[in-house]
Amino acid sequence: LFVIGMEMSFKQLASIKKTVFIAGSLQVGLTVIVAALAYHFLGNSWNESVFIGFLFSLSSTVIVLKTFQDRKAINSPHARNALAILIFQDIIVVPMMLFTPIIAGESGNLTVSILSLLLKSAALILITYLSIRYVVPKLLHAVARTNSKELFLLVTFTLCFAVAFLTSEAGLSLALGAFIAGLIISESDYNYQATSIILPFRELFSSFFFVSVGMLLDLSFFMNHILLILFLVVVLLVVKTMITAIAVAVLKYPFRTVLLTSLSLFQVGEFAFILSKVGMEYNLLNTETNQYFLSVSIVSMLLTPFV
């Protein structure tokens, strides 16, 4: 996501704001409703059903954008639409985490949590703006003058992790922070230099990500329930593709763009794994259901590049 941010600009991001909020909210909202109704129909409680809807509404930012990058299609209309919806999902996962204790009947002080999140978000936006205008361009210029590749690499990494850490402390996601850090660097004169230095590390960290996803799967459970899992994957592909197609079609994009965008977002994403841990803490997800969820999610991730 840091690399994706470096390859974009705030002008490009502003050009997709309509898709972020309209298509993003429709895709998440409709997926939550359909998944919740289906799970409730199977005899489960409404609070568990809504939580299952939360999980299946999220897609994989890492896999989708990596696939588009590998195919040199990151600037295509369908890739921009997918990015817009994924940005909305990365933002909405925070309110979902705040809402999880409420549907579990353990609300705590929600008003204070929301006000705190809004204040921290506003502070983060201000820091980002000041960094773009006054801090990062001057810092990178000073570092570039030393002609030290090692120092430039260290400063680039530090910026990525520092901004990601700040967003995490503000209650937002680490990945969103990495994306913002990339956007900050994209506005400087040393954007291409930073991108070329960081690219080899992207492959390394992507590998770590996929290894960690694989470690979540219980292989014996998967083999014992493989037919049902594959059936659920097919249902997920068809239903989520149709919902995303409706969300994008509302904005009157051509059929090809609608189809490619919707097919790219059918899988379940990495943030759903984090959310599932919260659900297990509040007893909205039992161990067996969680294994079904993980199995379906991982198979859908594996299928994404082929789809």
Side-chain angles (χ1 to χ4, degrees):
L1 272 173
F2 180 53
V3 175
I4 298 291
M6 286 197 291
E7 291 179 351
M8 288 196 74
S9 68
F10 273 96
K11 283 183 181 177
Q12 285 177 296
L13 199 59
S15 70
I16 59 170
K17 63 181 183 294
K18 194 176 173 184
T19 314
V20 171
F21 293 106
I22 297 174
S25 57
L26 275 173
Q27 185 271 325
V28 171
L30 289 172
T31 308
V32 170
I33 291 166
V34 171
L37 287 171
Y39 198 65
H40 183 66
F41 180 74
L42 295 172
N44 299 285
S45 64
W46 273 115
N47 55 355
E48 290 173 329
S49 302
V50 171
F51 183 74
I52 287 292
F54 285 174
L55 295 179
F56 284 101
S57 68
L58 303 172
S59 304
S60 177
T61 308
V62 175
I63 293 172
V64 173
L65 297 186
K66 178 77 169 66
T67 304
F68 282 136
Q69 270 192 326
D70 289 346
R71 293 170 185 273
K72 305 286 189 291
I74 198 71
N75 292 314
S76 63
H78 48 277
R80 284 202 302 272
N81 285 343
L83 174 64
I85 294 170
L86 289 164
I87 287 170
F88 183 84
Q89 290 179 3
D90 287 355
I91 295 167
I92 204 71
V93 76
V94 180
M96 282 179 178
M97 285 185 177
L98 289 173
F99 197 65
T100 298
I102 298 172
I103 57 177
E106 299 177 32
S107 57
N109 197 334
L110 184 69
T111 309
V112 172
S113 298
I114 290 172
L115 282 173
S116 173
L117 183 67
L118 289 172
L119 285 170
K120 286 174 180 176
S121 300
L124 181 68
I125 291 166
L126 180 63
I127 290 167
T128 303
Y129 174 76
L130 293 173
S131 299
I132 289 168
R133 285 296 300 272
Y134 305 109
V135 181
V136 173
K138 290 178 181 177
L139 174 66
L140 291 179
H141 180 66
V143 171
R145 285 180 65 187
T146 65
N147 290 321
S148 169
K149 272 192 172 183
E150 292 82 4
L151 183 60
F152 195 89
L153 173 64
L154 286 170
V155 169
T156 306
F157 258 103
T158 304
L159 282 169
C160 174
F161 287 117
V163 178
F165 174 74
L166 279 173
T167 56
S168 179
E169 287 296 294
L172 298 166
S173 74
L174 278 164
L176 191 64
F179 180 71
I180 290 168
L183 281 174
I184 290 170
I185 291 179
S186 77
E187 300 296 318
S188 76
D189 295 332
Y190 300 95
N191 176 29
Y192 293 109
Q193 189 178 343
T195 306
S196 64
I197 285 175
I198 220 81
L199 278 175
F201 294 95
R202 184 191 66 180
E203 307 306 325
L204 178 67
F205 286 122
S206 294
S207 301
F208 283 144
F209 166 74
F210 287 112
V211 169
S212 67
V213 168
M215 286 168 68
L216 294 169
L217 186 65
D218 182 341
L219 276 175
S220 60
F221 179 91
F222 179 81
M223 295 310 296
N224 290 335
H225 303 87
I226 190 165
L227 290 177
L228 180 55
I229 288 165
L230 292 176
F231 171 74
L232 291 172
V233 170
V234 173
V235 171
L236 175 72
L237 192 155
V238 173
V239 174
K240 204 169 173 185
T241 298
M242 288 173 66
I243 288 169
T244 309
I246 292 166
V248 178
V250 165
L251 296 173
K252 298 178 180 176
Y253 282 100
F255 176 74
R256 182 178 182 276
T257 303
V258 170
L259 184 65
L260 288 169
T261 305
S262 54
L263 282 171
S264 68
L265 297 174
F266 84 91
Q267 76 293 118
V268 180
E270 55 277 357
F271 285 121
F273 298 152
I274 299 165
L275 195 57
S276 69
K277 282 180 70 179
V278 178
M280 290 191 78
E281 286 171 19
Y282 289 102
N283 298 315
L284 291 170
L285 203 62
N286 59 45
T287 307
E288 185 182 7
T289 308
N290 188 48
Q291 276 303 319
Y292 272 117
F293 159 71
L294 286 173
S295 301
V296 170
S297 303
I298 290 168
V299 173
S300 71
M301 285 178 161
L302 288 170
L303 289 174
T304 298
F306 303 103
V307 172

